[in-house]
Amino acid sequence: MRGRIESIAAALARDGLILRGGFNFADGEEATPGLSGAKSVLLVGQAGAAPWPHFLRWRERQAQAIANPLDTWSREVIGAVAQDFGARAVSPSDKPYLPFQQWAMRAEGLKPSPLGILMHPLYGLWHAYRGALLFEDEISARPAEVAIHLCDACVEKPCLKSCPVEAYSTKGFAYQSCLGHVRGPNGEPCRTGGCLDRNACPYGTAYRYPAEVQAFHMAAFAAL
Ligand code: B12
């Protein structure tokens, strides 16, 4: 008989989504606001732009334009899977924010790239988290092994050299500089093809989001 985790993965695959690992919370952790009673978590996300065609078909069926459509679609799809498997669905945009990146590091053994986005050994920077399933019992997820961190072997670090306003540096992310440039007269390449620094990364290029998808995310990020 197929186990619970395999069945959930199969249900998510119908919409191009994948399980991104999971773990049992430590004693006391379930008391964190937003987690009440949860004993374990499975992260749901994507490798490359796999959910995009599913999302587009859903969006075409909507009677009118929706604010934050990708979040809405993710909540709908992941919420339905949660209901079928007795879980509670949460979203990375739920407030107060839940620590998705910390969960991801724990679940998949990933580390942040110089851009802050987590570096995946296969998908590079081309992956995301769309939600999580919280359970009131423990799951049988294998503990994550620390993944190979490709940035350690990357000497040139083109990701820190391609942004015209140097939004990313060792000092962190200069949000306002990035926004000002993307919205300004010279921001056309970022608006149509996505973040130049992210695109400069030599890893996981087979999973790179198509320009159309990157333009969609950039428009949402910079409120274009
Ligand atoms: C608020 C927010 C932002 C804000 C504030 C950022 C900040 N430093 O405070 C702004 C608008 C600037 C932002 C920008 C971006 N974000 Co953001 N952001 C979030 C959000 C919704 C909440 C963060 C939070 O406060 N969490 C609560 C604390 C307790 O949890 P934490 O795990 O410790 O969170 C810390 C980090 O997440 C960090 N942070 C926030 N955003 C980002 C983005 C990156 C890449 C990194 C490294 C860190 C970081 O700030 C948190 C507080 O210290 C998360 C989703 C989530 N729920 O975590 C996405 C999230 C972290 N962002 C993400 C991304 C991709 C981005 C952008 C690349 C733009 C984009 N959406 O395409 C940029 C890059 C910014 C950067 N390098 O710092 C992804 C990261 C995925 C990944 N593969 O690693 C997340 C997980 C959303 C998702 N659905 O996947 N973000």
Side-chain angles (χ1 to χ4, degrees), residues 137-208:
D137 59 349
E138 300 212 330
I139 52 168
S140 57
R142 265 178 275 123
E145 288 165 31
V146 176
I148 294 170
H149 189 52
L150 295 169
C151 306
D152 286 343
C154 181
V155 179
E156 293 290 323
K157 304 239 181 303
C159 65
L160 293 177
K161 295 179 184 154
S162 305
C163 172
V165 294
E166 297 184 44
Y168 290 100
S169 71
T170 45
K171 288 193 225 88
F173 176 56
Y175 183 35
Q176 292 305 332
S177 308
C178 170
L179 275 188
H181 176 73
V182 168
R183 291 171 175 166
N186 302 319
E188 178 72 12
C190 317
R191 292 196 294 268
T192 53
C195 172
L196 305 185
D197 272 345
R198 190 173 183 179
N199 277 291
C201 174
Y203 300 115
T205 49
Y207 292 88
R208 189 196 304 267

Side-chain angles (χ1 to χ4, degrees), residues 94-105:
D94 288 345
K95 290 185 181 160
Y97 292 135
L98 290 161
F100 267 77
Q101 285 213 306
Q102 288 171 36
W103 287 353
M105 290 190 251

Side-chain angles (χ1 to χ4, degrees), residues 20 44-46 71 91-105 110-120 124-131 167-168 172-176 178-179 195 198 209 214 217-218 220-222:
R20 309 282 319 256
V44 179
Q46 66 188 69
D71 277 354
S91 157
S93 11
D94 288 345
K95 290 185 181 160
Y97 292 135
L98 290 161
F100 267 77
Q101 285 213 306
Q102 288 171 36
W103 287 353
M105 290 190 251
L110 306 183
K111 289 189 200 161
S113 65
L115 304 187
I117 302 173
L118 299 175
M119 174 54 76
H120 189 279
L125 302 176
W126 305 105
H127 61 104
Y129 303 94
R130 295 279 159 241
Y168 290 100
F173 176 56
Y175 183 35
Q176 292 305 332
C178 170
L179 275 188
C195 172
R198 190 173 183 179
Y209 302 164
Q214 295 202 49
H217 287 299
M218 188 58 85
F221 167 72

